[in-house]
Amino acid sequence: VSAEEKAMPQFSAGRLAEIETLVKRYPHARSALLPVLHMAQQDFGYLSMEVQQLVADTLGLRLMAVREVVTFYTMFREQPCGKYLMEFCTNPGCMLNGAYDVLRHVCDRLGIEVGSTTPDGMFTVTEVECAGACGGAPVVQINGVYHEKVDAEHMDRVIDEAAGGGGKA
Ligand code: FES
């Protein structure tokens, strides 16, 4: 194995078996693309071009077919994310309950735009589709944990705690 091959991301044997089972459920491997991209993002943290190529090769698709999907959906990341990933649901249920106000507040406080990471690598802020917890709107998932009925004060507390208890984030 060359050094270059070594550096290429690979799915674990367990993951490959999981993908194989999944693909068998569909008439076309392409139908498994979304779940496989989720798995890849979970395994590698984000979908680098190498990881997208791996997904394409694994499913027998062209890289372009993978890229079309990755760039269309906001839940897929092409860049590494911060230690704290804040995923804001901005679908109607959350939007009507002030999601954008809270999102704007957080972005202004951190000095970043949606979809980016603070220079210190601490916080990434993204917008996602309905998190399936509309009763708790507006909803933010922080490293996969649901925070419901969030407001600016709640997010300030989260940021303060993450930054070391009252420290400036
Ligand atoms: S609309 Fe935000 S959780 Fe459903």
Side-chain angles (χ1 to χ4, degrees):
V1 184
S2 73
E4 198 177 287
E5 278 172 319
K6 260 191 199 160
M8 290 301 286
Q10 298 295 334
F11 285 120
S12 69
R15 193 55 114 183
L16 279 174
E18 212 178 325
I19 292 171
E20 202 178 313
T21 308
L22 186 70
V23 166
K24 281 193 196 133
R25 285 200 223 145
Y26 300 106
H28 303 291
R30 189 191 171 105
S31 308
L33 181 53
L34 276 177
V36 172
L37 284 170
H38 277 294
M39 291 173 186
Q41 186 159 276
Q42 202 180 326
D43 291 355
F44 302 105
Y46 68 104
L47 301 171
S48 65
M49 203 56 81
E50 290 77 18
V51 171
Q52 293 181 50
Q53 184 66 61
L54 170 67
V55 170
D57 293 346
T58 305
L59 294 177
L61 300 173
R62 288 176 304 115
L63 177 61
M64 190 47 71
V66 174
R67 293 215 34 73
E68 279 167 7
V69 172
V70 169
T71 54
F72 181 79
Y73 290 104
T74 51
M75 70 261 195
F76 293 127
R77 294 185 299 277
E78 292 195 82
Q79 304 295 329
C81 75
K83 188 169 173 208
Y84 295 90
L85 172 61
M86 299 177 170
E87 299 175 291
F88 283 77
C89 167
T90 51
N91 272 193
C94 287
M95 184 179 70
L96 294 171
N97 282 286
Y100 277 111
D101 293 338
V102 186
L103 177 58
R104 192 69 261 155
H105 173 81
V106 168
C107 285
D108 286 351
R109 166 146 186 205
L110 297 176
I112 58 172
E113 288 305 318
V114 178
S116 59
T117 301
T118 52
D120 61 2
M122 280 288 277
F123 301 98
T124 298
V125 176
T126 65
E127 229 177 304
V128 292
E129 302 297 327
C130 178
C134 316
V139 175
V140 183
Q141 284 184 71
I142 303 174
N143 290 350
V145 176
Y146 281 73
H147 292 239
E148 301 186 356
K149 300 193 189 296
V150 295
D151 55 17
E153 289 71 36
H154 176 83
M155 295 308 295
D156 276 344
R157 277 198 300 279
V158 168
I159 293 169
D160 285 342
E161 275 166 31
K168 198 173 176 297

